[in-house]
Amino acid sequence: MKNILITGGAGFIGSHVVRQFVNNYPEYHIFNLDALTYAGNLENLKDIENKENYTFIKGDITNELFINDIFSKYKFESVIHLAAESHVDRSISDPLAFAKTNILGTMILLNAFKNEVDYTKNNSLFYHISTDEVYGTLGETGLFTETTPYDPNSPYSASKASSDHFVRAYGETYNIPYVITNCSNNYGEFQFPEKLIPLCINNIINNKPLPIYGDGKYTRDWLYVVDHAKAIDLVFHKGKNGDTYNIGGFNEYQNIDLVKELCKQMDQKLGREENTSEQLITFVKDRPGHDLRYAIDATKINKNLGWKPSVTFEEGLSKTIDWYLNNTEWLENITKGTYQKYYDQQYSK
Ligand code: NAD
Ligand code: DAU
């Protein structure tokens, strides 16, 4: 059996990646390392938690002794690294937390990999999951390609850019086999309701205002999370050592149009009169340093590895809404307690 370490596997994307690997590769033993911050939730993995090829380890990637210890103990062959602080708004209020986890945490993992993994003999890989936000912002036109220069604007994207550089540097300096993927905005089941789509789903259910930053004309490229997990599987097995791949949904939406589509679908599903939820839209103070537009050119992963998204945005959004409506207990459990405090601080400005 190959021991594979997935970090951040109790989070949104990580839980889908863990599920994808545990279910499809019985020949791998998947170790899910997660600190269970506010964003980590073992409820996301109920369906696979008792599988024989799965082990959960609670721990912090910034704890060097602990990380060295588990690398030495479990002899991981490869790492898929997703653990991070991931929300831009939180990076604006607490940038140091982002530097610590996203930069230092990644370096500690890289060092452990360098010192403990026999990567010259094995078919090993350090797979770093990154974001399109490292490229900064686009104007009205153009797309991010793998050669677009890094130009991050938020503490979050700067910390992710920095971690990407360290991964590449360890590859160049120590010949660590690595791959990096830079993905656009994910949506889907198990996303924490601080991000635009689940936040609005939760607020529509509860008839609360839908906060739209600025004029709502900011544009993102949305990808269904299961399609991201499938792309990660493909890159892990077929990606070229030292390469980077952009992953995107070929699916740009202005925030205001996306929220209107969400309102339309939710009114239908909740049996509410047409245009009921749209009345909840409220324009609020803009995010500082707000990137105008992200859009990914995913031609490379499509041409080289044959990946493309499997669902349209309308289908993916419909599946996502259905999941949240059928899992209100999951939503209620994570929106009580500290969530309300975060929400009040973020939206009362
Ligand atoms: P998330 O916030 O839902 O989950 C992050 C997970 O990491 C949580 O389970 C949390 O407990 C864990 N974690 C945080 N700090 C940790 C630490 N110090 N030690 C161990 N575990 C820790 O994030 P997500 O949206 O699932 O994003 C996962 C990865 O994908 C991140 O690296 C993010 O930058 C990247 N990414 C996200 C998106 C997106 O749209 N969400 C898009 C592209 C790339
Ligand atoms: O592009 C990939 C990135 O996508 C990931 O790397 C990040 O981890 C992930 O959080 C996401 O970043 P965004 O900042 O684009 O996602 P968010 O859901 O926070 O915001 C999406 C858009 O909606 C953005 O333009 C800000 C806006 N927004 C967001 C919130 C939370 C609002 O208008 N109102 C809100 O309340």
Side-chain angles (χ1 to χ4, degrees):
M1 261 208 176
K2 296 175 178 199
N3 285 354
I4 295 177
L5 175 67
I6 299 183
T7 70
F12 165 49
I13 302 172
S15 62
H16 288 275
V17 175
V18 166
R19 181 173 296 103
Q20 168 83 12
F21 276 74
V22 166
N23 285 337
N24 292 311
Y25 301 101
E27 68 274 31
Y28 298 162
H29 194 103
I30 301 302
F31 291 81
N32 169 16
L33 168 69
D34 199 295
L36 300 182
T37 68
Y38 77 92
N41 185 354
L42 290 177
E43 293 292 310
N44 300 357
L45 291 163
K46 275 270 163 233
D47 55 325
I48 57 111
E49 68 183 4
N50 293 321
K51 294 257 180 163
E52 270 182 20
N53 64 336
Y54 172 73
T55 303
F56 174 68
I57 306 171
K58 185 172 188 299
D60 191 325
I61 57 167
T62 66
N63 182 340
E64 192 178 2
L65 286 178
F66 166 78
I67 292 296
N68 290 344
D69 207 44
I70 61 163
F71 268 78
S72 146
K73 185 167 170 196
Y74 296 114
K75 307 280 172 230
F76 304 122
E77 188 183 271
S78 293
V79 173
I80 305 177
H81 175 36
L82 296 105
E85 289 293 339
S86 69
H87 192 40
V88 174
D89 293 326
R90 290 186 194 252
S91 83
I92 294 166
S93 43
D94 187 8
L96 282 182
F98 282 66
K100 188 177 176 204
T101 291
N102 299 359
I103 306 174
L104 185 63
T106 301
M107 290 188 69
I108 286 172
L109 287 170
L110 284 165
N111 249 358
F113 190 95
K114 169 170 87 62
N115 295 334
E116 297 291 344
V117 177
D118 197 1
Y119 55 87
T120 51
K121 292 203 194 105
N122 293 331
N123 196 17
S124 296
L125 185 67
F126 190 100
Y127 183 169
H128 181 58
I129 308 297
S130 191
T131 171
D132 61 356
E133 300 201 9
V134 297
Y135 300 123
T137 187
L138 291 163
E140 305 280 317
T141 58
L143 298 170
F144 295 134
T145 70
E146 287 78 2
T147 56
T148 303
Y150 276 29
D151 192 17
N153 290 316
S154 73
Y156 163 68
S157 53
S159 69
K160 291 296 289 186
S162 174
S163 64
D164 292 10
H165 291 321
F166 275 110
V167 174
R168 210 185 137 268
Y170 271 66
E172 289 297 313
T173 310
Y174 308 110
N175 287 320
I176 278 181
Y178 76 94
V179 71
I180 301 173
T181 48
N182 298 82
C183 189
S184 64
N185 285 61
N186 284 218
Y187 69 95
E189 299 83 354
F190 303 110
Q191 188 169 30
F192 192 83
E194 62 188 350
K195 310 282 164 56
L196 181 67
I197 290 181
L199 184 145
C200 287
I201 291 175
N202 186 40
N203 286 10
I204 291 171
I205 293 173
N206 294 300
N207 278 308
K208 284 175 61 183
L210 308 177
I212 306 293
Y213 296 159
D215 62 3
K217 299 234 164 97
Y218 296 91
T219 301
R220 298 291 182 266
D221 172 0
W222 294 92
L223 175 68
Y224 183 50
V225 65
V226 175
D227 281 329
H228 188 191
K230 287 182 186 162
I232 290 171
D233 182 344
L234 196 61
V235 172
F236 181 79
H237 291 101
K238 303 256 168 66
K240 197 168 140 235
N241 179 10
D243 231 343
T244 66
Y245 299 87
N246 280 356
I247 305 172
F250 301 101
N251 176 52
E252 286 185 54
Y253 260 88
Q254 284 192 347
N255 295 338
I256 187 66
D257 296 334
L258 182 153
V259 172
K260 284 184 178 167
E261 171 66 26
L262 181 65
C263 289
K264 191 178 94 191
Q265 287 204 21
M266 288 213 45
D267 282 347
Q268 283 164 2
K269 289 177 195 287
L270 290 166
R272 292 182 184 168
E273 239 176 76
E274 222 176 298
N275 296 327
T276 306
S277 301
E278 259 196 55
Q279 312 297 322
L280 298 169
I281 291 176
T282 311
F283 291 92
V284 299
K285 190 164 164 246
D286 210 346
R287 173 185 278 175
H290 200 165
D291 286 330
L292 176 68
R293 176 173 164 259
Y294 307 143
I296 282 278
D297 180 350
T299 308
K300 180 173 170 182
I301 187 170
N302 176 253
K303 284 228 167 95
N304 294 8
L305 306 181
W307 176 87
K308 61 174 191 299
S310 68
V311 295
T312 65
F313 181 66
E314 289 72 15
E315 286 163 355
L317 190 64
S318 172
K319 278 152 96 89
T320 303
I321 298 168
D322 288 344
W323 184 85
Y324 279 93
L325 292 178
N326 291 325
N327 289 276
T328 44
E329 206 181 314
W330 180 93
L331 204 46
E332 279 158 19
N333 283 343
I334 55 170
T335 50
K336 59 185 186 208
T338 54
Y339 176 79
Q340 200 48 51
K341 197 170 160 221
Y342 161 78
Y343 196 92
D344 293 343
Q345 268 167 1
Q346 177 62 25
Y347 293 98
S348 64
K349 292 169 201 160

